Amino acid sequence: MDPEGKKPRIVRRKAAGVGDNSSNRGYLDGQLLIAMPVMGDPRFERSVIYLCAHSSEGAMGIIVNRPAGSIDFPELLVQLDIIKKTDQIKLSENAESMKVLKGGPVETGRGFVLHSADFFIENTTLSIDGHMCLTATVDILRAIAKGEGPRRAALALGYAGWGAGQLDEEMQANSWLSSPAEPSLIFDTPADARYDAVMSRLGIDPAMLSSAAGRA
């Protein structure tokens, strides 16, 4: 994990087909990373990360199970001068219900919108797996405020980043477990329940896993 902000180079690509499974190339973009007890880094304990990009040059992802506390999305739009305070009552339902997450320790003052693939800004949006996209410009926030944004979205402040080969080394050390991602987990399951939900889907009891790790 690279908490100091060393950015991996992310190659943008146009919308990929559903059959474009990056794991077949040895990479995990579009997958979930689930923190294992052996990781030993309290910043990522019990974290679930949606991996947006993974290549030989590095990786980046968004922690999807840590709410950003008292940060309110409509109020954030006001602070960014996207809307006036008096316009908050006119926001679309999607904007009103938008969740804000702590996406990771890198660039925590910057917003990254993880969203459904029905919204795309040319040369800006990163298409991940045919179902999910990532957009990190203020234009998507303006679109969401107007009710013209993606059908499903979550805003993350910051991201998790790895330099070349770092994630591969951590995977070999069993710091992370990978799993196919389902949009419903990210958009429908409450954030603080996502770790247990994905573990349950994999047939793993987190309590038993922690006990086993403690005896190792």
Side-chain angles (χ1 to χ4, degrees):
M1 191 67 63
D2 181 5
E4 301 303 324
K6 183 187 294 183
K7 300 179 192 175
R9 180 171 172 267
I10 299 172
V11 179
R12 297 192 181 280
R13 58 186 181 272
K14 293 187 178 180
V18 174
D20 181 19
N21 187 346
S22 60
S23 62
N24 290 336
R25 305 190 307 271
Y27 300 129
L28 299 172
D29 34 330
Q31 298 271 310
L32 292 177
L33 297 179
I34 304 99
M36 295 289 95
V38 297
M39 174 173 294
D41 189 333
R43 296 171 304 168
F44 302 101
E45 184 179 357
R46 288 178 59 88
S47 63
V48 178
I49 297 179
Y50 181 82
L51 202 57
C52 301
H54 182 207
S55 73
S56 61
E57 298 177 14
M60 73 86 65
I62 302 294
I63 299 176
V64 297
N65 66 323
R66 297 206 176 153
S70 59
I71 297 178
D72 177 75
F73 182 72
E75 185 59 36
L76 193 60
L77 294 178
V78 174
Q79 293 177 15
L80 295 173
D81 292 325
I82 293 174
I83 64 170
K84 296 180 180 178
K85 192 166 185 64
T86 54
D87 292 333
Q88 283 183 278
I89 59 173
K90 303 175 185 177
L91 286 174
S92 67
E93 183 178 345
N94 277 2
E96 284 284 356
S97 61
M98 176 78 73
K99 303 301 182 184
V100 183
L101 303 168
K102 292 180 181 178
V106 185
E107 291 196 69
T108 55
R110 186 179 176 194
F112 298 82
V113 180
L114 193 60
H115 59 90
S116 51
D118 54 335
F119 181 91
F120 192 89
I121 302 175
E122 191 69 32
N123 298 319
T124 298
T125 297
L126 173 69
S127 178
I128 300 168
D129 65 356
H131 300 288
M132 299 282 283
C133 294
L134 183 75
T135 304
T137 66
V138 73
D139 293 330
I140 190 172
L141 300 182
R142 292 193 181 102
I144 292 170
K146 294 177 182 177
E148 300 170 356
R151 184 173 61 88
R152 316 193 81 182
L155 172 65
L157 301 178
Y159 69 91
W162 294 261
Q166 275 189 307
L167 179 57
D168 309 80
E169 292 174 3
E170 292 180 13
M171 294 292 293
Q172 290 173 5
N174 295 319
S175 294
W176 301 99
L177 178 68
S178 66
S179 167
E182 294 181 2
S184 60
L185 179 81
I186 297 170
F187 299 124
D188 297 330
T189 306
D192 57 5
R194 288 171 190 166
Y195 183 87
D196 287 339
V198 71
M199 284 297 205
S200 176
R201 191 180 70 191
L202 293 172
I204 299 172
D205 183 344
M208 294 300 294
L209 188 65
S210 296
S211 298
R215 291 194 300 270

